[in-house]
Amino acid sequence: MKIESPAFKNNGLIPSKYTCDGIEVNPPLVISDVPKNAKSLALVVDDPDATGGTWIHWTVWDIDPEIIEIPENSCPPNTIQGVTDSGSSGYCGPCPPSGTHRYFFKLYALNSELKIGNSARSTDIEREMRGKILAKAELIGLYRRK
């Protein structure tokens, strides 16, 4: 399974458009090679370099495994977005206070839907995914504020 973006390469710089220095919309993502037996996908975007520990920027689950693209500034239909560390749901773009941070776009293929509510946080999602992960793919983007 793969997750890529036409906006930046793996371990490349995320354009400021997708950050707090820009219009802060999610970058386009392309998904491929999903296992045939996957029943759903889940996406977690986090920053492990945040000062207070890993910062969650976006969580989306119950994504149709037939989805091959998440366009810029959108969320796949009939999915659920959880609460990020900004305190709201939806995409929260990179905004490091200092230095270059890494942003991990982690995609999981699951053997079932998660069926948890939109008040879920990343720890809830991780707990619900236990024993259900068929495959995992990762895209890393870098960002440093100007």
Side-chain angles (χ1 to χ4, degrees):
M1 186 166 72
K2 294 180 193 163
I3 181 170
E4 301 171 298
S5 178
F8 62 95
K9 301 275 185 226
N10 189 44
N11 287 307
L13 294 174
I14 298 172
S16 61
K17 173 182 188 176
Y18 306 110
T19 74
C20 67
D21 293 323
I23 57 175
E24 201 167 10
V25 296
N26 67 278
L29 300 170
V30 177
I31 299 166
S32 59
D33 301 329
V34 173
K36 299 281 186 234
N37 57 339
K39 302 290 188 229
S40 72
L41 303 174
L43 176 67
V44 176
V45 180
D46 64 28
D47 170 8
D49 303 319
T51 308
T54 300
W55 183 272
I56 306 302
H57 285 267
W58 197 22
T59 57
V60 186
W61 62 92
D62 291 349
I63 301 169
D64 184 330
E66 299 294 319
I67 292 284
I68 58 169
E69 179 182 21
I70 300 174
E72 175 181 291
N73 193 28
S74 71
C75 187
N78 305 311
T79 60
I80 302 172
Q81 297 184 79
V83 178
T84 67
D85 284 338
S86 69
S88 61
S89 65
Y91 178 78
C92 170
C95 198
S98 64
T100 301
H101 285 219
R102 297 169 297 156
Y103 297 87
F104 287 71
F105 291 72
K106 298 183 277 192
L107 182 69
Y108 301 89
L110 308 172
N111 64 10
S112 70
E113 291 185 341
L114 293 182
K115 299 297 184 189
I116 52 178
N118 63 356
S119 63
R121 293 191 168 268
S122 66
T123 52
D124 303 316
I125 297 160
E126 290 168 5
R127 183 178 58 251
E128 288 297 316
M129 286 194 305
R130 278 191 204 123
K132 298 176 182 173
I133 299 172
L134 301 172
K136 178 184 176 185
E138 198 168 76
L139 170 66
I140 302 170
L142 308 174
Y143 191 67
R144 177 186 187 110
R145 293 191 72 195
K146 297 176 172 124

mmCIF file of all heavy atoms in Angstrom, residues 26-56:
data_model
loop_
_atom_site.group_PDB
_atom_site.id
_atom_site.type_symbol
_atom_site.label_atom_id
_atom_site.label_comp_id
_atom_site.label_asym_id
_atom_site.label_seq_id
_atom_site.Cartn_x
_atom_site.Cartn_y
_atom_site.Cartn_z
ATOM 1 N N ASN A 26 -5.836 20.777 3.551
ATOM 2 C CA ASN A 26 -5.069 19.546 3.422
ATOM 3 C C ASN A 26 -4.474 19.421 2.022
ATOM 4 O O ASN A 26 -5.080 19.840 1.035
ATOM 5 C CB ASN A 26 -5.914 18.313 3.751
ATOM 6 C CG ASN A 26 -7.022 18.058 2.767
ATOM 7 O OD1 ASN A 26 -8.086 18.665 2.869
ATOM 8 N ND2 ASN A 26 -6.797 17.156 1.810
ATOM 9 N N PRO A 27 -3.265 18.869 1.959
ATOM 10 C CA PRO A 27 -2.663 18.637 0.646
ATOM 11 C C PRO A 27 -3.365 17.478 -0.057
ATOM 12 O O PRO A 27 -3.985 16.631 0.594
ATOM 13 C CB PRO A 27 -1.215 18.276 0.977
ATOM 14 C CG PRO A 27 -1.275 17.693 2.351
ATOM 15 C CD PRO A 27 -2.391 18.435 3.044
ATOM 16 N N PRO A 28 -3.257 17.429 -1.388
ATOM 17 C CA PRO A 28 -3.828 16.285 -2.096
ATOM 18 C C PRO A 28 -3.031 15.028 -1.764
ATOM 19 O O PRO A 28 -1.804 15.079 -1.624
ATOM 20 C CB PRO A 28 -3.669 16.679 -3.568
ATOM 21 C CG PRO A 28 -2.521 17.640 -3.588
ATOM 22 C CD PRO A 28 -2.579 18.369 -2.277
ATOM 23 N N LEU A 29 -3.738 13.916 -1.627
ATOM 24 C CA LEU A 29 -3.107 12.635 -1.313
ATOM 25 C C LEU A 29 -3.571 11.592 -2.316
ATOM 26 O O LEU A 29 -4.740 11.578 -2.710
ATOM 27 C CB LEU A 29 -3.480 12.196 0.106
ATOM 28 C CG LEU A 29 -3.055 13.147 1.232
ATOM 29 C CD1 LEU A 29 -3.687 12.726 2.555
ATOM 30 C CD2 LEU A 29 -1.540 13.210 1.345
ATOM 31 N N VAL A 30 -2.658 10.732 -2.718
ATOM 32 C CA VAL A 30 -2.955 9.668 -3.664
ATOM 33 C C VAL A 30 -2.691 8.335 -2.968
ATOM 34 O O VAL A 30 -1.638 8.145 -2.355
ATOM 35 C CB VAL A 30 -2.090 9.798 -4.938
ATOM 36 C CG1 VAL A 30 -2.358 8.641 -5.887
ATOM 37 C CG2 VAL A 30 -2.348 11.129 -5.622
ATOM 38 N N ILE A 31 -3.665 7.441 -3.063
ATOM 39 C CA ILE A 31 -3.610 6.139 -2.384
ATOM 40 C C ILE A 31 -3.567 5.044 -3.441
ATOM 41 O O ILE A 31 -4.331 5.084 -4.407
ATOM 42 C CB ILE A 31 -4.848 5.974 -1.478
ATOM 43 C CG1 ILE A 31 -4.868 7.060 -0.407
ATOM 44 C CG2 ILE A 31 -4.894 4.578 -0.865
ATOM 45 C CD1 ILE A 31 -6.194 7.200 0.329
ATOM 46 N N SER A 32 -2.690 4.052 -3.236
ATOM 47 C CA SER A 32 -2.619 2.940 -4.188
ATOM 48 C C SER A 32 -2.251 1.642 -3.473
ATOM 49 O O SER A 32 -1.785 1.654 -2.335
ATOM 50 C CB SER A 32 -1.601 3.243 -5.290
ATOM 51 O OG SER A 32 -0.323 3.454 -4.739
ATOM 52 N N ASP A 33 -2.474 0.552 -4.175
ATOM 53 C CA ASP A 33 -2.115 -0.791 -3.713
ATOM 54 C C ASP A 33 -2.749 -1.173 -2.372
ATOM 55 O O ASP A 33 -2.114 -1.821 -1.529
ATOM 56 C CB ASP A 33 -0.593 -0.961 -3.648
ATOM 57 C CG ASP A 33 0.075 -0.749 -4.989
ATOM 58 O OD1 ASP A 33 -0.567 -1.050 -6.020
ATOM 59 O OD2 ASP A 33 1.225 -0.287 -5.025
ATOM 60 N N VAL A 34 -3.997 -0.780 -2.176
ATOM 61 C CA VAL A 34 -4.732 -1.152 -0.959
ATOM 62 C C VAL A 34 -5.031 -2.654 -1.011
ATOM 63 O O VAL A 34 -5.433 -3.155 -2.068
ATOM 64 C CB VAL A 34 -6.044 -0.335 -0.848
ATOM 65 C CG1 VAL A 34 -6.912 -0.818 0.306
ATOM 66 C CG2 VAL A 34 -5.727 1.152 -0.706
ATOM 67 N N PRO A 35 -4.836 -3.367 0.090
ATOM 68 C CA PRO A 35 -5.153 -4.798 0.087
ATOM 69 C C PRO A 35 -6.601 -5.052 -0.348
ATOM 70 O O PRO A 35 -7.510 -4.314 0.032
ATOM 71 C CB PRO A 35 -4.944 -5.222 1.537
ATOM 72 C CG PRO A 35 -4.001 -4.217 2.095
ATOM 73 C CD PRO A 35 -4.319 -2.928 1.387
ATOM 74 N N LYS A 36 -6.791 -6.079 -1.160
ATOM 75 C CA LYS A 36 -8.124 -6.397 -1.701
ATOM 76 C C LYS A 36 -9.144 -6.675 -0.603
ATOM 77 O O LYS A 36 -10.328 -6.418 -0.781
ATOM 78 C CB LYS A 36 -8.036 -7.608 -2.628
ATOM 79 C CG LYS A 36 -7.144 -7.398 -3.823
ATOM 80 C CD LYS A 36 -7.823 -6.597 -4.893
ATOM 81 C CE LYS A 36 -6.964 -6.515 -6.134
ATOM 82 N NZ LYS A 36 -6.714 -5.176 -6.585
ATOM 83 N N ASN A 37 -8.698 -7.217 0.533
ATOM 84 C CA ASN A 37 -9.628 -7.575 1.604
ATOM 85 C C ASN A 37 -9.862 -6.447 2.617
ATOM 86 O O ASN A 37 -10.541 -6.652 3.615
ATOM 87 C CB ASN A 37 -9.160 -8.850 2.320
ATOM 88 C CG ASN A 37 -7.748 -8.733 2.885
ATOM 89 O OD1 ASN A 37 -6.958 -7.894 2.443
ATOM 90 N ND2 ASN A 37 -7.427 -9.578 3.840
ATOM 91 N N ALA A 38 -9.350 -5.255 2.337
ATOM 92 C CA ALA A 38 -9.584 -4.122 3.239
ATOM 93 C C ALA A 38 -11.049 -3.725 3.210
ATOM 94 O O ALA A 38 -11.676 -3.665 2.154
ATOM 95 C CB ALA A 38 -8.705 -2.949 2.855
ATOM 96 N N LYS A 39 -11.588 -3.435 4.373
ATOM 97 C CA LYS A 39 -12.983 -2.989 4.500
ATOM 98 C C LYS A 39 -13.073 -1.480 4.704
ATOM 99 O O LYS A 39 -14.117 -0.876 4.474
ATOM 100 C CB LYS A 39 -13.669 -3.684 5.678
ATOM 101 C CG LYS A 39 -13.676 -5.197 5.576
ATOM 102 C CD LYS A 39 -14.592 -5.667 4.488
ATOM 103 C CE LYS A 39 -14.723 -7.167 4.545
ATOM 104 N NZ LYS A 39 -14.531 -7.797 3.261
ATOM 105 N N SER A 40 -11.985 -0.862 5.180
ATOM 106 C CA SER A 40 -11.950 0.583 5.365
ATOM 107 C C SER A 40 -10.504 1.033 5.502
ATOM 108 O O SER A 40 -9.596 0.221 5.695
ATOM 109 C CB SER A 40 -12.761 1.006 6.595
ATOM 110 O OG SER A 40 -12.094 0.648 7.789
ATOM 111 N N LEU A 41 -10.318 2.348 5.408
ATOM 112 C CA LEU A 41 -9.015 2.969 5.609
ATOM 113 C C LEU A 41 -9.126 3.995 6.723
ATOM 114 O O LEU A 41 -10.203 4.559 6.947
ATOM 115 C CB LEU A 41 -8.542 3.666 4.330
ATOM 116 C CG LEU A 41 -8.429 2.827 3.060
ATOM 117 C CD1 LEU A 41 -8.098 3.720 1.869
ATOM 118 C CD2 LEU A 41 -7.394 1.742 3.232
ATOM 119 N N ALA A 42 -8.009 4.253 7.387
ATOM 120 C CA ALA A 42 -7.933 5.306 8.398
ATOM 121 C C ALA A 42 -6.676 6.112 8.128
ATOM 122 O O ALA A 42 -5.646 5.560 7.714
ATOM 123 C CB ALA A 42 -7.900 4.712 9.799
ATOM 124 N N LEU A 43 -6.754 7.418 8.355
ATOM 125 C CA LEU A 43 -5.628 8.317 8.142
ATOM 126 C C LEU A 43 -5.370 9.096 9.424
ATOM 127 O O LEU A 43 -6.299 9.663 10.005
ATOM 128 C CB LEU A 43 -5.942 9.288 7.001
ATOM 129 C CG LEU A 43 -4.898 10.369 6.702
ATOM 130 C CD1 LEU A 43 -3.611 9.759 6.150
ATOM 131 C CD2 LEU A 43 -5.472 11.391 5.731
ATOM 132 N N VAL A 44 -4.115 9.103 9.855
ATOM 133 C CA VAL A 44 -3.700 9.886 11.023
ATOM 134 C C VAL A 44 -2.510 10.725 10.596
ATOM 135 O O VAL A 44 -1.539 10.197 10.056
ATOM 136 C CB VAL A 44 -3.316 8.982 12.215
ATOM 137 C CG1 VAL A 44 -2.789 9.812 13.378
ATOM 138 C CG2 VAL A 44 -4.495 8.127 12.660
ATOM 139 N N VAL A 45 -2.595 12.034 10.814
ATOM 140 C CA VAL A 45 -1.491 12.943 10.498
ATOM 141 C C VAL A 45 -0.992 13.522 11.807
ATOM 142 O O VAL A 45 -1.765 14.132 12.557
ATOM 143 C CB VAL A 45 -1.936 14.067 9.540
ATOM 144 C CG1 VAL A 45 -0.769 15.001 9.230
ATOM 145 C CG2 VAL A 45 -2.531 13.490 8.264
ATOM 146 N N ASP A 46 0.306 13.306 12.079
ATOM 147 C CA ASP A 46 0.833 13.810 13.345
ATOM 148 C C ASP A 46 2.242 14.373 13.195
ATOM 149 O O ASP A 46 2.910 14.177 12.190
ATOM 150 C CB ASP A 46 0.772 12.744 14.441
ATOM 151 C CG ASP A 46 1.633 11.521 14.188
ATOM 152 O OD1 ASP A 46 2.671 11.621 13.502
ATOM 153 O OD2 ASP A 46 1.281 10.447 14.691
ATOM 154 N N ASP A 47 2.648 15.098 14.225
ATOM 155 C CA ASP A 47 3.970 15.730 14.313
ATOM 156 C C ASP A 47 4.653 15.208 15.569
ATOM 157 O O ASP A 47 4.353 15.662 16.675
ATOM 158 C CB ASP A 47 3.809 17.247 14.374
ATOM 159 C CG ASP A 47 5.091 17.999 14.713
ATOM 160 O OD1 ASP A 47 6.180 17.379 14.765
ATOM 161 O OD2 ASP A 47 5.002 19.219 14.940
ATOM 162 N N PRO A 48 5.571 14.237 15.432
ATOM 163 C CA PRO A 48 6.246 13.694 16.608
ATOM 164 C C PRO A 48 7.295 14.637 17.187
ATOM 165 O O PRO A 48 7.831 14.381 18.264
ATOM 166 C CB PRO A 48 6.889 12.406 16.083
ATOM 167 C CG PRO A 48 7.154 12.696 14.652
ATOM 168 C CD PRO A 48 6.006 13.573 14.202
ATOM 169 N N ASP A 49 7.588 15.737 16.491
ATOM 170 C CA ASP A 49 8.615 16.675 16.942
ATOM 171 C C ASP A 49 8.056 17.829 17.763
ATOM 172 O O ASP A 49 8.803 18.733 18.158
ATOM 173 C CB ASP A 49 9.377 17.230 15.731
ATOM 174 C CG ASP A 49 10.005 16.132 14.899
ATOM 175 O OD1 ASP A 49 10.549 15.179 15.495
ATOM 176 O OD2 ASP A 49 9.941 16.213 13.654
ATOM 177 N N ALA A 50 6.764 17.818 18.027
ATOM 178 C CA ALA A 50 6.143 18.896 18.806
ATOM 179 C C ALA A 50 6.733 18.934 20.217
ATOM 180 O O ALA A 50 7.082 17.896 20.788
ATOM 181 C CB ALA A 50 4.632 18.704 18.860
ATOM 182 N N THR A 51 6.821 20.115 20.765
ATOM 183 C CA THR A 51 7.449 20.332 22.062
ATOM 184 C C THR A 51 6.834 19.498 23.179
ATOM 185 O O THR A 51 7.541 18.896 23.967
ATOM 186 C CB THR A 51 7.367 21.829 22.442
ATOM 187 O OG1 THR A 51 7.889 22.587 21.353
ATOM 188 C CG2 THR A 51 8.170 22.124 23.679
ATOM 189 N N GLY A 52 5.533 19.431 23.246
ATOM 190 C CA GLY A 52 4.864 18.718 24.337
ATOM 191 C C GLY A 52 4.577 17.258 24.041
ATOM 192 O O GLY A 52 3.795 16.624 24.737
ATOM 193 N N GLY A 53 5.159 16.708 22.994
ATOM 194 C CA GLY A 53 4.865 15.339 22.566
ATOM 195 C C GLY A 53 4.156 15.369 21.227
ATOM 196 O O GLY A 53 3.889 16.444 20.680
ATOM 197 N N THR A 54 3.851 14.211 20.698
ATOM 198 C CA THR A 54 3.240 14.116 19.368
ATOM 199 C C THR A 54 1.949 14.930 19.286
ATOM 200 O O THR A 54 1.075 14.819 20.149
ATOM 201 C CB THR A 54 2.963 12.644 19.022
ATOM 202 O OG1 THR A 54 4.207 11.936 19.046
ATOM 203 C CG2 THR A 54 2.342 12.507 17.641
ATOM 204 N N TRP A 55 1.849 15.762 18.260
ATOM 205 C CA TRP A 55 0.691 16.632 18.029
ATOM 206 C C TRP A 55 -0.115 16.059 16.869
ATOM 207 O O TRP A 55 0.421 15.806 15.793
ATOM 208 C CB TRP A 55 1.164 18.044 17.695
ATOM 209 C CG TRP A 55 0.066 19.032 17.520
ATOM 210 C CD1 TRP A 55 -0.608 19.317 16.363
ATOM 211 C CD2 TRP A 55 -0.509 19.871 18.517
ATOM 212 N NE1 TRP A 55 -1.565 20.272 16.589
ATOM 213 C CE2 TRP A 55 -1.524 20.636 17.898
ATOM 214 C CE3 TRP A 55 -0.272 20.046 19.870
ATOM 215 C CZ2 TRP A 55 -2.288 21.568 18.579
ATOM 216 C CZ3 TRP A 55 -1.031 20.981 20.557
ATOM 217 C CH2 TRP A 55 -2.024 21.722 19.922
ATOM 218 N N ILE A 56 -1.401 15.850 17.095
ATOM 219 C CA ILE A 56 -2.282 15.278 16.075
ATOM 220 C C ILE A 56 -2.872 16.401 15.218
ATOM 221 O O ILE A 56 -3.527 17.305 15.742
ATOM 222 C CB ILE A 56 -3.409 14.439 16.725
ATOM 223 C CG1 ILE A 56 -2.833 13.385 17.665
ATOM 224 C CG2 ILE A 56 -4.301 13.822 15.659
ATOM 225 C CD1 ILE A 56 -1.868 12.411 17.029
#
